[in-house]
Amino acid sequence: MSKPPTTGPTALVEATGIVKRYGPTVALRDGRLTVLPGESHALVGRNGAGKSTLVTVLTGLQAPDAGTVLFDGEPAPALADRDAWRRKVACVYQKPTVVPDLTVAENLFINRQPEGRGGFISWRRLRAEAAQVLGTWDVRVDPDTRTADLKVEDRQMVEIARALSFGARFIVLDEPTAQLDNREIERLFTRMRALQESGVTFLFISHHLQEVYEVCQTVTVLRDARWITTAPVAELPRAALVEAMAGEALTEQAAAEESVARTEVPADAPVLLDVRGLTSESYADIDLTVRAGEVVGLAGSSGSGKINLAETIAGLHTPTGGTAQLDGTQLPFGDVAATLRAGVGCVPRDRHGQGLVFGMTIGDNATMTVLDRLGKYGFVGTERKRGFAEELIDRLDIHAEGPDQPVSDLSGGNAQKVVMARALASDPRLLVLINPTAGVDVKSKESLLARMDNAREDGTAVLVVSDELDDLRRCDRVLVLFHGRVVAEHVAGFTDHDLIASIEGVGHPDPVRGAWSADDADHTGPVRGAGNCANNPHWPAAKEQGDNRG
């Protein structure tokens, strides 16, 4: 492994041996980062690698349980001294933190507006000082413009200007290009380079590795909550960077064994889910099919559109165009109850906010979607409901005292099993699973994935969205979304390396920016398992019922 630089100029930011725990969960066990003045330093790693945790420590939102953070060789400010932290560092997040209904000037000086006579806000001075800040950092927006009316890239630049006005010269950019198109990305990078020349230093977090090579000088990789390597970008080939992020890939023999063990979907299995041209603000022209007894995965970075796509199919959103049919019948977009009646079961992405009612019992949560089956005319038989809930508890191996136990008493793994039980209770023809094993222990994860396998064996069509490689390895096919379009397909038996390379934008054309994201020297052919879609970003995932079966 490489070592962080220890000689040369004093590091602007240096984090060493950072450890952060949340109860029994170790979110970061060995965080390290050395950022030199005036550089753009990339921080990369798969979801769960520890990037966000390290950023919360670097920005003073959380204190580490162990380790040190230095700015210009001096210890970081006390956690409670927010003004001191603002003079050191700021983070521009993927979701804007500006107040949309305030003007640019008001956002720049929120809670520190210049005062005039009598202690009232001096609006003239506010606009003048805002114009001066914007002019200093070449942010070309009108101070009187309502922030909600700005383009995404301009809102980001306003946030950067606000941070610089406090005196900070270290800016963390968290997935800054996720909502930008090609021209906006290029303009952002041009502005970043200009700010670097003015003495601003960036920590650049992105899932799109080609962007790291375009705009960054150094890269640090985290994996499994620990530091893996720090190296000059120019000296680290893309293949080596992907390998550092992925760790040990599946051997060809292991992949082959896994493929052999899988029951192949029959060639004549009927198509249950047929999606054509589905389009929204998050994705465009999505074509995909899932057949009876088939598990299809959706993979991609946080801004790829994969979760919104799955939520649309599950009835949570209404697309702007396209169709989705389940067994020949159009799905009722934007109506969860009607989608449930149409035969779709869903495990949502957030069991706390979307999946469970914590004031209710296990039995109430598990059966709330099938109450019409447990009684007539709005009356639900208590014993029948209890018996049905007990069957679900046994079926999902939920460790609980019984159906009357509050769901809030359960561990994370057992709580997620209750969410899965409710999704399966209605015997759906299509099961949509969104991050189904996130935040659960290894044993619960295997139990949940076994339920997915059972659904496949029963002839259910399964659509899985996940950032977990263990989840995706159980799929017959995995479609990779990049900037809202399907750009690659991997059939069962793919290697971790190949899938991660596709997710990170290596080896296929970028559908937004229109350029290949890997040099010929680094990648001489299409991603293994991608088929025709590696050469055409608009290639449908499955054009006919018999195409690309697992």
Side-chain angles (χ1 to χ4, degrees), residues 7 15 20 34 36 116 138 171 213 220 222 233 262 270 292 300 303 330 335 381 392 445 452 482 495 504:
T7 61
K20 186 63 186 175
T34 302
L36 299 180
D138 194 29
I171 309 295
Y213 284 89
T220 289
L222 299 182
V233 171
R262 182 185 308 277
Q330 176 67 34
D335 188 333
L392 289 172
K445 175 183 286 191
M452 182 177 81
F482 193 77
T495 66
E504 302 298 342

Side-chain angles (χ1 to χ4, degrees), residues 411-414 437-448:
S411 66
N414 284 301
T437 66
V440 304
D441 60 83
V442 174
K443 195 169 183 180
S444 296
K445 175 183 286 191
E446 188 55 38
S447 177
L448 289 163

Side-chain angles (χ1 to χ4, degrees), residues 66 148 184 193 200 218 253 263 265 335 355 401 417 540:
E184 292 169 337
R193 295 183 185 105
V200 179
T218 311
Q253 181 179 357
T263 301
V265 181
D335 188 333
E401 297 171 1
K417 289 179 185 178

Side-chain angles (χ1 to χ4, degrees), residues 59-88:
T59 54
L61 297 178
Q62 298 273 355
D65 297 318
T68 59
V69 177
L70 303 177
F71 290 95
D72 285 318
E74 299 293 330
L79 209 61
D81 192 348
R82 299 314 305 163
D83 287 339
W85 278 99
R86 291 187 187 98
R87 292 192 293 270
K88 298 290 185 184

